[in-house]
Amino acid sequence: MSDELLEIDQSQTMRREEAAAKLHALADALARHNSVEFEKNGHRITVDVPDQVHLNIELEIGGDENELEIELTW
């Protein structure tokens, strides 16, 4: 694998139900295929995910904006 860093940063505003559907699709891909797919500049990128991952969940509450961050690393 190349030492070049590939970074995809996607941000969009949507309804809560739409966000849940995207999370479900991501979870289903991890459970069924052991990989996830992303698209960048018209190219589909498949990333293999090993059987063991580290899951980090952060919740920040306060002020005008709350944040839930879900991170998988391997």
Side-chain angles (χ1 to χ4, degrees):
M1 179 172 224
S2 172
D3 288 338
E4 185 178 328
L5 176 66
L6 169 67
E7 187 170 335
I8 298 174
D9 187 1
Q10 299 174 335
S11 180
Q12 58 191 129
T13 301
M14 63 186 69
R15 294 187 45 75
R16 182 185 64 246
E17 295 85 359
E18 292 174 288
K22 285 188 174 281
L23 290 171
H24 277 288
L26 178 59
D28 288 345
L30 284 171
R32 291 186 188 140
H33 308 295
N34 298 331
S35 66
V36 291
E37 288 187 351
F38 294 93
E39 191 169 312
K40 183 174 182 176
N41 300 330
H43 298 288
R44 187 168 302 255
I45 300 158
T46 301
V47 180
D48 293 327
V49 180
D51 290 338
Q52 294 286 324
V53 298
H54 179 78
L55 172 65
N56 184 47
I57 299 175
E58 292 182 28
L59 176 62
E60 295 180 15
I61 299 174
D64 294 337
E65 195 170 288
N66 299 319
E67 181 176 331
L68 172 62
E69 187 174 316
I70 302 168
E71 180 179 72
L72 288 177
T73 56
W74 58 91

